[in-house]
Amino acid sequence: MADYDVVVVGAGNAAMAAAVSAREQGAGRVAVLEKAPRELRGGNTHYSGGLLRFAYDRAEDLLGLALPKSNWAQRLDTPPFTAWPVTGGITFTFGGVRVNDRAQVQSTSWTSIAGLYACGEMVGGLFHGNYPGGTGLMSGAVFGRIAGANAAGA
């Protein structure tokens, strides 16, 4: 990997933000490594239903993915009615590596590990107990941009 200025591991929202940011900051060659099989590429973005789907090669591949809205918002007016409390599933981790405000990974002695940056689901310490909806994608995009920019300048 010595031929690359920046190596990004993963291909979800945060990783793509890091790769784009690194190029914008002057990194000549950026490698994006993805372990997932072709049909699952794109990290959690692949499952999010968003338009950021790196698992597809062309925009034409996205046509036909939209679900018909004919069965949405139907009236629920015939009893009996039953309700259950519902909570979200695994969306991202509350634990992970600690980073500073430059997205540099911190060692166990709270010093930056030279050349190692993190963003996305592997970053811990951002949320405690719970988080506002949508903030997992936002923190991935923000720390992705920060990590990419700083890795390019390292």
Side-chain angles (χ1 to χ4, degrees):
M1 301 295 347
D3 293 339
Y4 294 92
D5 299 315
V6 174
V7 176
V8 178
V9 179
N13 171 52
M16 289 297 122
V20 168
S21 185
R23 287 285 292 149
E24 289 176 346
Q25 295 299 315
R29 293 189 45 145
V30 177
V32 177
L33 305 179
E34 172 65 273
K35 181 180 178 182
R38 182 173 182 78
E39 65 275 8
L40 298 177
R41 290 180 187 163
N44 278 346
T45 305
H46 176 78
Y47 300 102
S48 70
L51 296 177
L52 188 63
R53 290 183 174 267
F54 297 105
Y56 299 95
D57 294 324
R58 307 175 325 247
E60 293 80 21
D61 295 339
L62 299 173
L63 297 175
L65 292 178
L67 297 173
K69 296 183 180 180
S70 59
N71 63 342
W72 293 10
Q74 292 186 14
R75 295 179 70 96
L76 298 174
D77 56 4
T78 307
F81 300 106
T82 307
W84 293 273
V86 177
T87 185
I90 298 172
T91 55
F92 63 92
T93 60
F94 286 102
V97 298
R98 182 168 299 279
V99 297
N100 63 13
D101 61 350
R102 295 176 45 85
Q104 295 171 297
V105 175
Q106 303 297 290
S107 71
T108 56
S109 62
W110 297 95
T111 58
S112 298
I113 299 173
L116 186 58
Y117 299 83
C119 56
E121 300 214 15
M122 67 212 37
V123 172
L126 298 178
F127 305 102
H128 301 282
N130 210 341
Y131 64 95
T135 55
L137 286 174
M138 182 57 67
S139 69
V142 169
F143 275 94
R145 299 283 296 176
I146 293 169
N150 287 310

